[in-house]
Amino acid sequence: MPSTDDTMELRLNAELLPLLAEADLLDSPAAWGTATTPAGAFRLEPVRLERDLALLTGWMNDPEVAAYWELAGPAAVTAAHLRAQLDDDGRSIPCLGLLDGTPMSYWEIYRADLDPLSRHYPARPHDTGIHLLIGGGTNRGRGLGTALLRAVADLVFDNRPRCTRVIAEPDIRNTPSVSAFLNSGFRSPAEIDLPEKRAALMIRERALRNLL
């Protein structure tokens, strides 16, 4: 029969497991460094609401973006979306993507295994998810999405050693986005029904990063 101390230790371990699972959420993408891409030097910069709100609100009101993000409207709409992440526990970090120092994309880097998404696919510990939009029409349609998705997935693998997969779930209607993921080394094993959309499940495996 286990002693009182053993029983207490087991109870403490059970209580601590959820905390240990979240202890290494995402660190800070600001410290992930710069990736060299065919388009230039790229890095992630965590969003600062007072600095970035006007820029992001403009992007969210671009019809091509609004069709999938559904955040068109006044700045308060974008601010509420950002605050939900900024005021949370760090499992999702909104970031600007800077190419040669110029903000040109918006990213959400999140723990897919701790997200409601994990109920819709066979999640593994430390799966890291990404959402992406490219701001400004002049940056679209010239292959940037493919180059940047590959770069960000590599940054995740380089800086999150326990992460074996990068996950994404673009709307299946968004064919340019789906194509960019496939061209950047992701595979799509299934389509999944999420509350807000039917999505193409996208997975990039660490083990295949140098092959695809």
Side-chain angles (χ1 to χ4, degrees):
M1 178 179 295
S3 67
T4 302
D5 288 343
D6 289 338
T7 302
M8 182 171 293
E9 183 178 351
L10 288 170
R11 187 184 307 118
L12 286 173
N13 285 342
E15 292 171 352
L16 286 172
L17 278 175
L19 299 177
L20 292 172
E22 297 179 11
D24 174 25
L25 285 169
L26 286 169
D27 306 312
S28 176
W32 288 2
T34 299
T36 301
T37 79
F42 180 82
R43 66 182 178 87
L44 293 170
E45 174 71 29
V47 164
R48 286 167 41 195
L49 195 61
E50 67 281 1
R51 178 193 65 190
D52 304 323
L53 181 57
L55 175 64
L56 291 172
T57 299
W59 289 350
M60 294 300 182
N61 279 279
D62 181 319
E64 291 187 37
V65 172
Y68 300 106
W69 284 75
E70 299 181 348
L71 290 172
V77 174
T78 300
H81 179 78
L82 295 170
R83 284 197 183 97
Q85 298 170 83
L86 295 170
D87 295 342
D88 201 11
D89 61 6
R91 69 182 65 192
S92 180
I93 300 178
C95 297
L96 289 179
L98 280 67
L99 189 62
D100 290 334
T102 300
M104 47 71 63
S105 53
Y106 171 70
W107 301 74
E108 292 173 353
I109 313 296
Y110 67 98
R111 279 287 295 271
D113 59 323
L114 302 178
D115 188 82
L117 174 65
S118 64
R119 297 194 288 266
H120 299 273
Y121 83 102
R124 297 178 188 170
H126 297 282
D127 277 355
T128 302
I130 55 177
H131 296 142
L132 158 70
L133 72 85
I134 293 180
T138 59
N139 286 319
R140 300 185 198 125
R142 53 191 187 95
L144 272 179
T146 295
L148 299 185
L149 284 167
R150 183 177 291 275
V152 169
D154 284 341
L155 284 172
V156 171
F157 289 142
D158 289 343
N159 291 278
R160 307 206 70 244
R162 285 187 280 180
C163 170
T164 62
R165 303 189 304 179
V166 178
I167 307 295
E169 22 75 35
D171 192 307
I172 61 169
R173 299 171 299 160
N174 192 347
T175 52
S177 179
V178 170
S179 295
F181 277 102
L182 293 174
N183 290 334
S184 59
F186 287 75
R187 59 186 180 86
S188 183
E191 293 182 0
I192 52 177
D193 289 310
L194 302 179
E196 71 282 3
K197 64 185 178 184
R198 185 164 180 79
L201 177 65
M202 294 287 176
I203 299 175
R204 187 172 180 207
E205 302 267 3
R206 177 186 290 275
L208 300 177
R209 66 181 293 192
N210 295 322
L211 300 177
L212 297 175

